[in-house]
Amino acid sequence: PLLKTVEDSVLDGQFSRAAQVLNSIRDRRAAWYYWSARVSVGLGNRVAALEYAKTAVQMAPDEAAYRELLAGLQSAGQTYQQYGSQRGFTGALCSNPCLTLIAANVLCNCCCLGGRGGAYCC
């Protein structure tokens, strides 16, 4: 019954509510991971969605809906990579954790100023 509540919330676009219900479920079977993937997509977290979808498919490989969701998430990622590659972006920054941290540090140091109440960003 809780997964039905999650499904109804997703169909109504109430992803935060669906996430709350999912978090209350302790018995995490393939359906839980499938709905967690759908909710993650709705909340804009495609990385988590992909991981949840992979787990759902691993747990229940015969479920067509699970495989379709996973395929859709994987193809979206491949399309994004192809689009970037065609425009000369190699992805070196994000694929290199050291460069990513350096870039984040530079951005924070350049964009954030210290005030009497602590740091704030412009």
Side-chain angles (χ1 to χ4, degrees), residues 68-97:
E68 289 172 16
L69 177 61
L70 177 58
L73 290 168
Q74 288 175 329
S75 68
Q78 291 168 352
T79 301
Y80 178 77
Q81 287 176 343
Q82 289 171 353
Y83 180 82
S85 294
Q86 291 170 352
R87 279 143 189 84
F89 178 70
T90 61
L93 179 64
C94 292
S95 65
N96 184 326

Side-chain angles (χ1 to χ4, degrees), residues 17 20 24-25 34 37 41 43-44 46 52-53 67 71-72 75 80 83 87-88 95 97 110 115 117 121:
R17 167 132 172 75
Q20 289 175 344
S24 72
I25 298 173
Y34 169 77
V41 168
L43 293 173
R46 296 186 68 79
Y52 286 136
R67 291 192 320 270
S75 68
Y80 178 77
Y83 180 82
R87 279 143 189 84
S95 65
C110 292
C121 290

Side-chain angles (χ1 to χ4, degrees), residues 11-59:
L11 294 175
D12 290 339
Q14 298 177 353
F15 299 106
S16 294
R17 167 132 172 75
Q20 289 175 344
V21 175
L22 282 169
N23 287 333
S24 72
I25 298 173
R26 299 289 172 233
D27 186 19
R28 297 183 175 180
R29 298 179 186 193
W32 185 92
Y33 288 96
Y34 169 77
W35 285 108
S36 292
R38 298 268 314 259
V39 168
S40 294
V41 168
L43 293 173
N45 190 344
R46 296 186 68 79
V47 173
L50 182 60
E51 291 306 313
Y52 286 136
K54 285 179 183 178
T55 302
V57 170
Q58 288 171 351
M59 293 176 80

